[in-house]
Amino acid sequence: MNKRTGVMVGAAAAAIGAAAILLPNANASTDQPAAPKTLSAHSATQLAASLKADLGDNGAGWYLDSAKGHLVMNVLSEEAAKSVTAKGAVAKVVHNSMTALKAGAKTLRDSASVPGTAWSIDPKTNKIVVLADRTVTGAKMATLNKATGGMGAGMVTVKRSQGEFKRYDGGNAGSAAGANGGQAAGGAGNAAGAGGAGDAAGGAGGAAGAGGAGDAAGGAGDAAGGAGDAAGGAGDGGQQAAGPVGGSAIFGGNARCSLGFNVTVKGAPAFLTAGHCGNDSKTWTADQGGSQPLGTVSDSQFPKTDFALVTYDDTAAKPQSAVDLGNGSTQEITKAAEAAVGMKVQRSGSTTGLHDGTVTGLDATVNYGNGDIVNGLIQTDVCAEPGDSGGAMFSDDSAVGLTSGGSGDCTAGGETFFQPVTDALKATGAEIGAGGGGAGGAGDAGGGDAAAGGAGDAGAGDAAAGGAGAGDAAAGGAGAGDAAAGGAGAGDAGAGSAGAGDAGAGAGDAGAGAGDAGAGAQDPGAAGSGDSLN
Protein backbone atom coordinates (compact mmCIF):
# COMPACT_ATOMS: atom_id res chain seq x y z
CA MET A 1 0.00 0.00 0.00
CA ASN A 2 1.51 3.32 -1.04
CA LYS A 3 1.56 6.39 1.14
CA ARG A 4 -1.44 8.03 -0.54
CA THR A 5 -3.62 4.94 -0.15
CA GLY A 6 -2.68 4.67 3.51
CA VAL A 7 -3.74 8.22 4.15
CA MET A 8 -7.13 7.63 2.49
CA VAL A 9 -7.76 4.47 4.49
CA GLY A 10 -6.85 6.24 7.71
CA ALA A 11 -9.18 9.13 6.96
CA ALA A 12 -12.06 6.76 6.18
CA ALA A 13 -11.52 4.91 9.43
CA ALA A 14 -11.53 8.17 11.37
CA ALA A 15 -14.79 9.23 9.70
CA ILE A 16 -16.44 5.91 10.54
CA GLY A 17 -15.28 6.22 14.14
CA ALA A 18 -16.67 9.73 14.41
CA ALA A 19 -19.98 8.60 12.97
CA ALA A 20 -20.12 5.75 15.47
CA ILE A 21 -19.74 8.28 18.29
CA LEU A 22 -22.21 10.83 16.93
CA LEU A 23 -24.96 8.48 15.75
CA PRO A 24 -26.03 7.12 19.17
CA ASN A 25 -26.09 10.65 20.56
CA ALA A 26 -28.27 11.81 17.67
CA ASN A 27 -30.68 8.92 18.23
CA ALA A 28 -30.81 9.61 21.95
CA SER A 29 -31.84 13.24 21.44
CA THR A 30 -34.56 12.19 19.00
CA ASP A 31 -36.02 9.52 21.29
CA GLN A 32 -36.03 11.68 24.43
CA PRO A 33 -39.58 12.91 25.21
CA ALA A 34 -40.17 16.64 25.22
CA ALA A 35 -40.32 18.28 28.63
CA PRO A 36 -43.90 19.04 29.78
CA LYS A 37 -45.01 22.60 29.15
CA THR A 38 -45.72 24.92 32.07
CA LEU A 39 -49.22 26.22 31.42
CA SER A 40 -51.78 28.59 32.87
CA ALA A 41 -55.16 27.08 33.74
CA HIS A 42 -56.67 28.66 30.63
CA SER A 43 -53.90 27.39 28.32
CA ALA A 44 -54.03 23.92 29.87
CA THR A 45 -57.79 23.75 29.29
CA GLN A 46 -57.33 24.68 25.64
CA LEU A 47 -54.61 22.06 25.15
CA ALA A 48 -56.71 19.44 26.95
CA ALA A 49 -59.65 20.09 24.63
CA SER A 50 -57.42 19.64 21.60
CA LEU A 51 -55.84 16.43 22.93
CA LYS A 52 -59.22 15.05 23.99
CA ALA A 53 -60.47 15.44 20.43
CA ASP A 54 -57.33 13.77 19.02
CA LEU A 55 -57.38 10.85 21.48
CA GLY A 56 -61.05 9.95 21.10
CA ASP A 57 -61.78 6.72 22.99
CA ASN A 58 -58.12 6.46 24.05
CA GLY A 59 -58.54 9.44 26.38
CA ALA A 60 -59.74 8.89 29.95
CA GLY A 61 -59.98 12.36 31.45
CA TRP A 62 -57.43 14.93 32.51
CA TYR A 63 -56.46 17.22 35.36
CA LEU A 64 -54.14 20.04 36.27
CA ASP A 65 -51.00 19.55 38.30
CA SER A 66 -51.26 23.08 39.63
CA ALA A 67 -48.05 22.81 41.69
CA LYS A 68 -45.99 22.30 38.53
CA GLY A 69 -48.29 23.95 36.00
CA HIS A 70 -48.57 20.74 33.97
CA LEU A 71 -51.53 19.21 32.16
CA VAL A 72 -51.94 15.49 32.93
CA MET A 73 -53.86 13.42 30.37
CA ASN A 74 -55.13 9.94 31.22
CA VAL A 75 -54.72 7.53 28.30
CA LEU A 76 -55.34 3.83 27.72
CA SER A 77 -52.20 2.89 25.75
CA GLU A 78 -48.49 3.63 25.44
CA GLU A 79 -49.05 4.70 21.85
CA ALA A 80 -51.55 7.32 22.95
CA ALA A 81 -49.12 8.42 25.66
CA LYS A 82 -46.48 9.26 23.04
CA SER A 83 -48.81 11.60 21.19
CA VAL A 84 -49.68 13.35 24.45
CA THR A 85 -46.08 13.93 25.51
CA ALA A 86 -45.21 15.17 22.04
CA LYS A 87 -47.74 18.01 22.58
CA GLY A 88 -46.22 19.07 25.92
CA ALA A 89 -48.58 17.35 28.37
CA VAL A 90 -47.87 14.60 30.91
CA ALA A 91 -49.31 11.21 29.91
CA LYS A 92 -50.63 8.78 32.50
CA VAL A 93 -51.64 5.28 31.36
CA VAL A 94 -54.74 4.16 33.29
CA HIS A 95 -57.09 1.17 33.39
CA ASN A 96 -60.61 2.66 33.38
CA SER A 97 -61.89 4.32 30.22
CA MET A 98 -64.10 7.38 30.43
CA THR A 99 -66.90 5.33 28.90
CA ALA A 100 -66.62 2.81 31.73
CA LEU A 101 -66.52 5.53 34.38
CA LYS A 102 -69.62 7.23 33.00
CA ALA A 103 -71.41 3.88 32.85
CA GLY A 104 -70.51 3.33 36.51
CA ALA A 105 -71.92 6.73 37.42
CA LYS A 106 -75.14 5.83 35.64
CA THR A 107 -75.33 2.59 37.64
CA LEU A 108 -75.13 4.61 40.83
CA ARG A 109 -77.90 6.95 39.67
CA ASP A 110 -80.12 4.00 38.79
CA SER A 111 -79.52 1.72 41.77
CA ALA A 112 -77.96 3.72 44.60
CA SER A 113 -79.48 7.18 44.53
CA VAL A 114 -79.58 7.40 48.30
CA PRO A 115 -80.35 10.76 49.98
CA GLY A 116 -77.18 12.12 51.52
CA THR A 117 -74.84 10.77 48.84
CA ALA A 118 -72.78 12.37 46.11
CA TRP A 119 -70.37 11.05 43.54
CA SER A 120 -68.06 12.38 40.85
CA ILE A 121 -65.41 11.15 38.45
CA ASP A 122 -61.91 11.78 39.81
CA PRO A 123 -59.33 11.71 37.01
CA LYS A 124 -56.46 11.76 39.52
CA THR A 125 -57.41 8.31 40.81
CA ASN A 126 -59.18 7.19 37.60
CA LYS A 127 -62.16 6.19 39.74
CA ILE A 128 -65.64 7.24 40.75
CA VAL A 129 -65.47 8.73 44.25
CA VAL A 130 -68.67 8.32 46.28
CA LEU A 131 -69.31 10.49 49.35
CA ALA A 132 -71.83 9.42 52.00
CA ASP A 133 -72.80 12.03 54.56
CA ARG A 134 -73.55 11.36 58.24
CA THR A 135 -77.21 10.55 57.54
CA VAL A 136 -76.31 7.52 55.40
CA THR A 137 -76.56 4.63 57.86
CA GLY A 138 -78.33 1.29 58.21
CA ALA A 139 -80.41 0.31 55.17
CA LYS A 140 -79.24 3.34 53.21
CA MET A 141 -75.60 2.37 53.67
CA ALA A 142 -76.39 -1.24 52.79
CA THR A 143 -77.98 -0.13 49.51
CA LEU A 144 -74.94 1.97 48.69
CA ASN A 145 -72.48 -0.80 49.55
CA LYS A 146 -74.37 -3.30 47.41
CA ALA A 147 -74.22 -1.06 44.35
CA THR A 148 -70.57 -0.06 44.73
CA GLY A 149 -69.47 -3.58 45.69
CA GLY A 150 -70.69 -4.91 42.37
CA MET A 151 -68.57 -2.36 40.51
CA GLY A 152 -65.26 -3.45 42.05
CA ALA A 153 -62.58 -1.64 44.03
CA GLY A 154 -60.77 -0.71 40.83
CA MET A 155 -63.73 1.39 39.68
CA VAL A 156 -65.14 3.10 42.77
CA THR A 157 -64.07 4.43 46.17
CA VAL A 158 -66.52 5.18 48.99
CA LYS A 159 -65.70 7.91 51.52
CA ARG A 160 -67.58 9.43 54.45
CA SER A 161 -68.40 13.11 54.81
CA GLN A 162 -68.64 14.40 58.37
CA GLY A 163 -71.48 16.82 57.62
CA GLU A 164 -74.87 16.60 55.93
CA PHE A 165 -75.49 17.51 52.31
CA LYS A 166 -77.86 20.45 51.99
CA ARG A 167 -78.64 23.35 49.73
CA TYR A 168 -77.04 26.57 50.85
CA ASP A 169 -80.00 28.94 50.66
CA GLY A 170 -80.72 30.63 53.99
CA GLY A 171 -83.56 32.34 55.82
CA ASN A 172 -83.70 36.03 56.68
CA ALA A 173 -83.72 35.50 60.43
CA GLY A 174 -80.42 36.09 62.13
CA SER A 175 -78.94 37.37 58.93
CA ALA A 176 -76.75 39.93 60.66
CA ALA A 177 -74.43 37.26 61.97
CA GLY A 178 -73.01 36.70 58.53
CA ALA A 179 -72.17 40.32 57.81
CA ASN A 180 -68.84 40.82 56.10
CA GLY A 181 -67.13 44.06 55.14
CA GLY A 182 -68.26 45.72 51.96
CA GLN A 183 -71.52 43.84 51.45
CA ALA A 184 -73.97 45.22 54.02
CA ALA A 185 -77.50 44.67 52.79
CA GLY A 186 -76.96 44.71 49.10
CA GLY A 187 -73.27 44.26 48.63
CA ALA A 188 -70.38 46.31 47.35
CA GLY A 189 -72.08 46.58 44.00
CA ASN A 190 -74.26 49.28 45.51
CA ALA A 191 -71.28 51.27 46.72
CA ALA A 192 -71.60 54.77 45.39
CA GLY A 193 -74.25 53.43 43.09
CA ALA A 194 -77.08 55.59 44.35
CA GLY A 195 -78.75 57.36 41.47
CA GLY A 196 -77.19 58.14 38.10
CA ALA A 197 -73.47 58.35 37.29
CA GLY A 198 -71.84 60.89 39.50
CA ASP A 199 -74.77 61.04 41.92
CA ALA A 200 -73.20 58.91 44.63
CA ALA A 201 -71.58 61.80 46.44
CA GLY A 202 -74.96 63.30 47.11
CA GLY A 203 -76.03 59.87 48.31
CA ALA A 204 -73.19 59.74 50.80
CA GLY A 205 -74.18 63.09 52.15
CA GLY A 206 -77.91 62.46 52.02
CA ALA A 207 -77.68 59.02 53.57
CA ALA A 208 -76.56 60.46 56.86
CA GLY A 209 -79.44 62.91 56.94
CA ALA A 210 -77.07 65.80 56.61
CA GLY A 211 -79.21 68.95 56.91
CA GLY A 212 -79.35 71.38 54.01
CA ALA A 213 -77.23 71.61 50.92
CA GLY A 214 -74.73 73.76 52.74
CA ASP A 215 -73.97 71.04 55.24
CA ALA A 216 -73.44 68.23 52.77
CA ALA A 217 -69.72 68.84 52.32
CA GLY A 218 -70.34 72.07 50.49
CA GLY A 219 -73.49 71.07 48.61
CA ALA A 220 -74.00 69.19 45.38
CA GLY A 221 -71.15 70.90 43.59
CA ASP A 222 -68.60 70.11 46.30
CA ALA A 223 -69.74 66.69 47.51
CA ALA A 224 -66.93 64.30 46.57
CA GLY A 225 -65.83 66.53 43.73
CA GLY A 226 -69.26 67.02 42.23
CA ALA A 227 -71.04 65.00 39.54
CA GLY A 228 -68.76 62.53 37.82
CA ASP A 229 -66.25 62.14 40.63
CA ALA A 230 -68.64 60.95 43.32
CA ALA A 231 -67.35 58.19 45.55
CA GLY A 232 -65.78 56.30 42.68
CA GLY A 233 -69.13 56.04 40.94
CA ALA A 234 -67.90 56.99 37.50
CA GLY A 235 -64.25 56.32 38.12
CA ASP A 236 -64.02 53.14 36.07
CA GLY A 237 -64.84 53.74 32.45
CA GLY A 238 -67.05 56.74 33.20
CA GLN A 239 -70.10 54.65 34.03
CA GLN A 240 -71.93 53.83 37.23
CA ALA A 241 -72.14 50.32 38.69
CA ALA A 242 -75.83 49.97 39.44
CA GLY A 243 -76.87 47.03 41.56
CA PRO A 244 -74.90 44.37 43.41
CA VAL A 245 -72.03 42.21 42.14
CA GLY A 246 -71.14 38.55 42.50
CA GLY A 247 -71.33 37.39 46.10
CA SER A 248 -73.72 40.13 47.23
CA ALA A 249 -76.75 39.25 49.34
CA ILE A 250 -80.11 38.98 47.60
CA PHE A 251 -83.47 38.51 49.33
CA GLY A 252 -86.67 36.88 48.11
CA GLY A 253 -89.69 36.05 50.26
CA ASN A 254 -88.29 34.27 53.31
CA ALA A 255 -85.07 33.25 51.53
CA ARG A 256 -81.65 34.78 51.39
CA CYS A 257 -79.14 33.80 48.70
CA SER A 258 -76.19 35.32 46.88
CA LEU A 259 -75.81 36.79 43.43
CA GLY A 260 -73.62 34.81 41.08
CA PHE A 261 -72.67 36.80 38.00
CA ASN A 262 -74.11 39.80 36.21
CA VAL A 263 -74.93 38.95 32.60
CA THR A 264 -76.80 40.30 29.61
CA VAL A 265 -79.55 38.57 27.61
CA LYS A 266 -80.05 40.17 24.20
CA GLY A 267 -78.60 43.33 25.64
CA ALA A 268 -80.86 43.39 28.72
CA PRO A 269 -79.23 43.30 32.18
CA ALA A 270 -79.72 40.20 34.32
CA PHE A 271 -77.88 38.02 36.81
CA LEU A 272 -77.38 34.32 37.48
CA THR A 273 -77.95 32.64 40.82
CA ALA A 274 -78.89 29.14 42.03
CA GLY A 275 -82.02 27.48 40.65
CA HIS A 276 -83.26 26.45 44.07
CA CYS A 277 -83.09 30.16 45.01
CA GLY A 278 -85.10 30.99 41.89
CA ASN A 279 -87.68 28.45 43.03
CA ASP A 280 -87.82 30.05 46.49
CA SER A 281 -89.07 33.41 45.21
CA LYS A 282 -90.14 35.01 41.94
CA THR A 283 -88.83 38.47 42.87
CA TRP A 284 -85.55 39.50 44.52
CA THR A 285 -84.35 42.59 46.32
CA ALA A 286 -81.03 43.95 47.58
CA ASP A 287 -82.33 44.41 51.12
CA GLN A 288 -84.20 42.28 53.61
CA GLY A 289 -87.06 44.76 53.91
CA GLY A 290 -87.78 44.66 50.18
CA SER A 291 -87.37 48.42 49.60
CA GLN A 292 -84.57 47.94 47.04
CA PRO A 293 -86.04 45.79 44.25
CA LEU A 294 -83.58 44.10 41.92
CA GLY A 295 -85.33 41.83 39.47
CA THR A 296 -87.73 39.07 38.53
CA VAL A 297 -86.93 35.42 37.81
CA SER A 298 -87.26 34.66 34.11
CA ASP A 299 -85.90 31.10 34.19
CA SER A 300 -85.28 28.74 37.11
CA GLN A 301 -84.06 25.15 36.81
CA PHE A 302 -83.93 22.86 39.85
CA PRO A 303 -83.56 19.95 40.48
CA LYS A 304 -81.56 18.05 37.81
CA THR A 305 -79.59 21.26 37.28
CA ASP A 306 -79.31 24.30 39.56
CA PHE A 307 -79.37 27.75 37.99
CA ALA A 308 -81.74 30.71 37.71
CA LEU A 309 -81.75 33.81 35.55
CA VAL A 310 -83.09 36.99 37.16
CA THR A 311 -83.82 39.95 34.88
CA TYR A 312 -83.21 43.39 36.37
CA ASP A 313 -86.37 45.44 36.77
CA ASP A 314 -84.45 48.53 35.63
CA THR A 315 -83.80 47.83 31.96
CA ALA A 316 -81.33 50.72 31.84
CA ALA A 317 -79.20 49.29 34.67
CA LYS A 318 -75.55 48.64 33.89
CA PRO A 319 -74.36 46.39 36.72
CA GLN A 320 -70.66 45.75 37.02
CA SER A 321 -69.38 42.38 35.78
CA ALA A 322 -67.38 41.65 38.90
CA VAL A 323 -67.20 39.67 42.14
CA ASP A 324 -66.92 41.16 45.61
CA LEU A 325 -63.64 40.26 47.30
CA GLY A 326 -64.90 41.37 50.71
CA ASN A 327 -62.11 43.90 51.28
CA GLY A 328 -63.65 46.87 49.53
CA SER A 329 -62.42 45.74 46.12
CA THR A 330 -63.80 43.61 43.32
CA GLN A 331 -62.47 41.14 40.76
CA GLU A 332 -63.54 41.96 37.21
CA ILE A 333 -65.13 39.04 35.36
CA THR A 334 -64.61 39.04 31.59
CA LYS A 335 -65.43 35.49 30.49
CA ALA A 336 -66.63 32.03 31.51
CA ALA A 337 -64.43 28.94 31.78
CA GLU A 338 -64.92 25.21 32.11
CA ALA A 339 -63.79 23.73 35.42
CA ALA A 340 -60.85 21.34 35.59
CA VAL A 341 -59.81 19.04 38.41
CA GLY A 342 -56.85 20.69 40.11
CA MET A 343 -57.97 24.20 39.15
CA LYS A 344 -57.49 26.79 41.89
CA VAL A 345 -60.74 28.67 42.49
CA GLN A 346 -62.31 31.25 44.79
CA ARG A 347 -65.89 31.59 45.99
CA SER A 348 -67.71 34.71 47.16
CA GLY A 349 -70.94 34.43 49.14
CA SER A 350 -73.11 36.69 51.27
CA THR A 351 -72.72 34.65 54.47
CA THR A 352 -69.05 33.74 54.57
CA GLY A 353 -67.44 36.15 52.12
CA LEU A 354 -64.40 35.04 50.12
CA HIS A 355 -62.85 31.57 50.38
CA ASP A 356 -60.56 29.61 48.11
CA GLY A 357 -59.82 25.99 47.28
CA THR A 358 -59.47 23.47 44.48
CA VAL A 359 -61.75 21.62 42.07
CA THR A 360 -61.72 17.95 43.10
CA GLY A 361 -64.27 16.31 40.80
CA LEU A 362 -66.41 16.81 37.71
CA ASP A 363 -69.82 15.65 36.52
CA ALA A 364 -70.85 15.23 40.15
CA THR A 365 -74.31 14.09 41.25
CA VAL A 366 -75.69 15.17 44.64
CA ASN A 367 -78.81 13.81 46.31
CA TYR A 368 -80.04 16.45 48.75
CA GLY A 369 -83.06 14.35 49.69
CA ASN A 370 -86.78 14.83 49.04
CA GLY A 371 -86.21 14.06 45.38
CA ASP A 372 -83.78 16.96 44.92
CA ILE A 373 -81.07 15.30 42.84
CA VAL A 374 -78.73 17.48 40.79
CA ASN A 375 -76.37 16.20 38.09
CA GLY A 376 -73.37 17.61 36.25
CA LEU A 377 -71.98 19.62 39.17
CA ILE A 378 -68.41 20.69 39.98
CA GLN A 379 -67.07 19.26 43.24
CA THR A 380 -64.61 21.30 45.31
CA ASP A 381 -63.01 21.50 48.74
CA VAL A 382 -64.11 25.14 49.14
CA CYS A 383 -66.28 25.77 52.20
CA ALA A 384 -69.72 27.43 52.19
CA GLU A 385 -72.72 27.94 54.47
CA PRO A 386 -76.45 28.69 54.20
CA GLY A 387 -77.01 32.00 52.43
CA ASP A 388 -74.05 31.45 50.09
CA SER A 389 -76.27 29.66 47.52
CA GLY A 390 -76.00 31.12 44.04
CA GLY A 391 -72.75 32.90 44.88
CA ALA A 392 -69.88 33.17 42.44
CA MET A 393 -67.08 30.65 42.00
CA PHE A 394 -64.35 32.07 39.79
CA SER A 395 -60.74 31.67 38.71
CA ASP A 396 -58.97 34.97 38.08
CA ASP A 397 -61.26 36.87 35.68
CA SER A 398 -63.22 33.77 34.60
CA ALA A 399 -66.67 32.79 35.88
CA VAL A 400 -66.69 29.05 36.68
CA GLY A 401 -69.63 28.06 38.92
CA LEU A 402 -72.72 28.98 40.95
CA THR A 403 -72.87 27.73 44.54
CA SER A 404 -75.39 24.89 44.94
CA GLY A 405 -74.84 23.09 48.24
CA GLY A 406 -72.64 20.72 50.14
CA SER A 407 -71.52 19.51 53.51
CA GLY A 408 -69.71 21.18 56.39
CA ASP A 409 -69.02 24.84 57.07
CA CYS A 410 -66.23 27.37 57.02
CA THR A 411 -65.06 26.41 60.50
CA ALA A 412 -64.64 22.66 60.07
CA GLY A 413 -64.38 22.67 56.26
CA GLY A 414 -66.23 20.39 53.89
CA GLU A 415 -67.25 19.86 50.28
CA THR A 416 -69.19 22.30 48.13
CA PHE A 417 -70.81 21.66 44.75
CA PHE A 418 -71.30 24.21 41.99
CA GLN A 419 -73.46 24.49 38.90
CA PRO A 420 -71.17 25.06 35.89
CA VAL A 421 -71.65 28.60 34.61
CA THR A 422 -71.00 27.54 31.01
CA ASP A 423 -74.06 25.26 31.11
CA ALA A 424 -76.24 28.01 32.58
CA LEU A 425 -75.12 30.47 29.91
CA LYS A 426 -75.89 28.02 27.11
CA ALA A 427 -79.31 27.21 28.51
CA THR A 428 -80.38 30.83 29.01
CA GLY A 429 -78.64 32.50 26.08
CA ALA A 430 -76.96 34.87 28.53
CA GLU A 431 -73.52 36.39 28.15
CA ILE A 432 -71.02 37.25 30.86
CA GLY A 433 -70.64 40.96 31.46
CA ALA A 434 -73.43 43.47 31.81
CA GLY A 435 -71.30 46.44 30.83
CA GLY A 436 -70.93 49.46 32.99
CA GLY A 437 -68.07 50.77 35.02
CA GLY A 438 -67.32 49.66 38.51
CA ALA A 439 -68.18 51.21 41.80
CA GLY A 440 -64.70 52.10 42.81
CA GLY A 441 -63.19 51.59 46.21
CA ALA A 442 -62.15 54.40 48.48
CA GLY A 443 -59.14 55.06 46.27
CA ASP A 444 -61.42 55.82 43.33
CA ALA A 445 -63.42 58.46 45.11
CA GLY A 446 -62.76 61.31 42.76
CA GLY A 447 -59.00 61.43 43.31
CA GLY A 448 -57.98 64.94 44.20
CA ASP A 449 -61.54 66.16 43.71
CA ALA A 450 -63.06 63.90 46.31
CA ALA A 451 -61.99 65.85 49.36
CA ALA A 452 -64.62 68.53 49.40
CA GLY A 453 -62.97 71.28 51.34
CA GLY A 454 -60.69 68.93 53.26
CA ALA A 455 -60.72 67.99 56.90
CA GLY A 456 -61.12 71.59 57.89
CA ASP A 457 -64.59 71.68 56.37
CA ALA A 458 -65.69 68.38 57.82
CA GLY A 459 -66.78 69.28 61.27
CA ALA A 460 -68.31 66.81 63.67
CA GLY A 461 -71.71 65.79 62.40
CA ASP A 462 -71.09 67.20 58.90
CA ALA A 463 -71.44 65.05 55.79
CA ALA A 464 -67.94 65.00 54.39
CA ALA A 465 -66.64 63.51 51.17
CA GLY A 466 -63.27 62.34 52.36
CA GLY A 467 -61.67 61.41 55.65
CA ALA A 468 -64.05 62.31 58.46
CA GLY A 469 -64.50 62.13 62.18
CA ALA A 470 -66.80 59.83 64.09
CA GLY A 471 -70.41 60.31 63.08
CA ASP A 472 -69.54 61.85 59.71
CA ALA A 473 -70.98 60.58 56.46
CA ALA A 474 -67.85 59.91 54.46
CA ALA A 475 -67.30 58.99 50.82
CA GLY A 476 -64.19 57.05 51.67
CA GLY A 477 -62.75 55.09 54.57
CA ALA A 478 -64.75 55.80 57.73
CA GLY A 479 -64.87 54.99 61.38
CA ALA A 480 -67.47 52.87 63.16
CA GLY A 481 -70.89 54.38 62.86
CA ASP A 482 -70.03 56.36 59.71
CA ALA A 483 -72.17 56.24 56.60
CA ALA A 484 -69.42 55.41 54.15
CA ALA A 485 -69.28 54.99 50.39
CA GLY A 486 -66.31 52.70 50.74
CA GLY A 487 -65.14 50.23 53.36
CA ALA A 488 -67.41 50.60 56.39
CA GLY A 489 -67.10 49.37 59.94
CA ALA A 490 -69.50 47.05 61.72
CA GLY A 491 -72.93 48.57 62.00
CA ASP A 492 -72.14 51.23 59.39
CA ALA A 493 -74.66 52.44 56.89
CA GLY A 494 -72.17 51.37 54.27
CA ALA A 495 -71.95 51.77 50.55
CA GLY A 496 -73.73 48.45 50.22
CA SER A 497 -76.66 49.82 52.15
CA ALA A 498 -77.55 52.47 49.66
CA GLY A 499 -79.37 51.04 46.70
CA ALA A 500 -80.31 53.15 43.71
CA GLY A 501 -82.83 55.68 44.82
CA ASP A 502 -82.26 55.10 48.56
CA ALA A 503 -79.26 57.32 49.08
CA GLY A 504 -81.12 60.35 48.03
CA ALA A 505 -78.65 61.17 45.50
CA GLY A 506 -78.62 63.11 42.29
CA ALA A 507 -75.98 65.77 41.96
CA GLY A 508 -78.78 68.24 42.35
CA ASP A 509 -80.29 66.29 45.23
CA ALA A 510 -77.27 66.10 47.49
CA GLY A 511 -78.36 67.16 50.92
CA ALA A 512 -81.19 69.11 49.32
CA GLY A 513 -83.06 69.91 52.46
CA ALA A 514 -83.42 68.03 55.69
CA GLY A 515 -86.52 66.27 54.42
CA ASP A 516 -84.71 64.69 51.45
CA ALA A 517 -81.60 63.80 53.38
CA GLY A 518 -83.66 62.28 56.16
CA ALA A 519 -85.33 59.94 53.70
CA GLY A 520 -81.93 58.72 52.70
CA ALA A 521 -81.00 58.22 56.30
CA GLN A 522 -83.88 55.88 56.96
CA ASP A 523 -82.91 53.33 54.32
CA PRO A 524 -79.20 53.02 55.13
CA GLY A 525 -80.10 52.93 58.77
CA ALA A 526 -82.03 49.74 58.11
CA ALA A 527 -78.79 48.09 57.18
CA GLY A 528 -77.12 48.43 60.54
CA SER A 529 -75.62 45.62 62.52
CA GLY A 530 -79.03 44.12 63.17
CA ASP A 531 -79.92 43.59 59.51
CA SER A 532 -76.84 43.76 57.33
CA LEU A 533 -75.95 40.45 55.77
CA ASN A 534 -73.19 39.25 53.64
Side-chain angles (χ1 to χ4, degrees), residues 52 81 93 101 105 159 172 189 195 207 251 261 268 292 313 319 336 383 402 408 427 441 474:
K52 180 181 176 181
V93 180
L101 291 170
K159 297 181 178 180
N172 290 340
F251 300 85
F261 298 97
Q292 300 177 41
D313 293 336
C383 71
L402 304 167

Side-chain angles (χ1 to χ4, degrees), residues 16 18 25 48 119 134 142 144 188 197 200 212 219 224 230 260 292 326 336 357 367 380-381 412 446 459-460 478 509:
I16 292 170
N25 291 338
W119 56 84
R134 65 187 179 196
L144 182 62
Q292 300 177 41
N367 189 329
T380 74
D381 60 8
D509 299 330

Side-chain angles (χ1 to χ4, degrees), residues 24 31 71 87-88 116 121 131 146 199 239 284 397 435 463 494 513 522:
D31 293 339
L71 167 66
K87 296 287 183 68
I121 294 173
L131 290 174
K146 181 179 179 180
D199 293 344
Q239 290 180 314
W284 290 85
D397 64 344
Q522 291 302 316

Side-chain angles (χ1 to χ4, degrees), residues 68-94:
K68 297 180 179 178
H70 295 164
L71 167 66
V72 182
M73 295 291 299
N74 290 341
V75 296
L76 301 178
S77 69
E78 292 292 347
E79 189 65 28
K82 290 179 182 179
S83 66
V84 167
T85 55
K87 296 287 183 68
V90 176
K92 181 180 177 182
V93 180
V94 297

Side-chain angles (χ1 to χ4, degrees), residues 79-174:
E79 189 65 28
K82 290 179 182 179
S83 66
V84 167
T85 55
K87 296 287 183 68
V90 176
K92 181 180 177 182
V93 180
V94 297
H95 176 71
N96 295 317
S97 68
M98 187 55 66
T99 300
L101 291 170
K102 288 183 176 180
K106 184 177 184 304
T107 297
L108 289 172
R109 280 196 296 270
D110 293 343
S111 61
S113 190
V114 175
T117 59
W119 56 84
S120 63
I121 294 173
D122 179 12
K124 287 188 175 182
T125 61
N126 188 230
K127 293 182 180 182
I128 302 166
V129 176
V130 179
L131 290 174
D133 74 13
R134 65 187 179 196
T135 69
V136 181
T137 58
K140 292 166 67 175
M141 195 68 200
T143 299
L144 182 62
N145 286 335
K146 181 179 179 180
T148 57
M151 297 166 65
M155 175 71 72
V156 63
T157 299
V158 179
K159 297 181 178 180
R160 295 303 302 236
S161 175
Q162 296 303 310
E164 179 179 348
F165 292 133
K166 56 184 177 290
R167 306 175 310 179
Y168 280 144
D169 47 343
N172 290 340

Side-chain angles (χ1 to χ4, degrees), residues 207-533:
D215 293 318
D222 296 326
D229 294 318
D236 297 328
Q239 290 180 314
Q240 168 211 4
V245 294
S248 296
I250 57 174
F251 300 85
N254 293 320
R256 176 177 59 85
C257 289
S258 299
L259 187 144
F261 298 97
N262 283 318
V263 296
T264 55
V265 182
K266 296 180 180 179
F271 64 82
L272 294 172
T273 188
H276 63 267
C277 294
N279 288 0
D280 286 341
S281 177
K282 187 70 174 176
T283 58
W284 290 85
T285 65
D287 67 319
Q288 183 175 331
S291 63
Q292 300 177 41
L294 285 177
T296 304
V297 174
S298 59
D299 189 7
S300 185
Q301 301 294 326
F302 180 85
K304 295 186 178 178
T305 56
D306 196 2
F307 65 85
L309 179 71
V310 181
T311 303
Y312 278 103
D313 293 336
D314 180 3
T315 57
K318 295 186 180 296
Q320 184 184 6
S321 182
V323 175
D324 187 10
L325 299 181
N327 59 359
S329 66
T330 58
Q331 166 65 58
E332 183 182 12
I333 299 297
T334 64
K335 58 184 178 292
E338 298 280 355
V341 171
M343 176 187 280
K344 297 297 184 183
V345 292
Q346 292 178 291
R347 177 199 58 74
S348 181
S350 65
T351 298
T352 58
L354 187 71
H355 288 272
D356 57 18
T358 305
V359 174
T360 58
L362 299 176
D363 197 22
T365 294
V366 184
N367 189 329
Y368 293 119
N370 298 317
D372 293 341
I373 302 171
V374 186
N375 303 309
L377 298 178
I378 304 164
Q379 182 176 332
T380 74
D381 60 8
V382 187
C383 71
E385 295 180 12
D388 288 330
S389 271
M393 181 176 75
F394 59 103
S395 179
D396 298 322
D397 64 344
S398 297
V400 179
L402 304 167
T403 308
S404 176
S407 164
D409 54 41
C410 288
T411 300
E415 306 85 15
T416 303
F417 298 88
F418 296 83
Q419 164 70 43
V421 164
T422 50
D423 291 349
L425 294 174
K426 290 174 186 175
T428 59
E431 297 179 349
I432 285 292
D444 296 327
D449 297 328
D457 296 331
D462 292 336
D472 296 345
D482 298 342
D492 301 346
S497 311
D502 292 325
D509 299 330
D516 294 338
Q522 291 302 316
D523 292 328
S529 61
D531 296 323
S532 65
L533 196 349

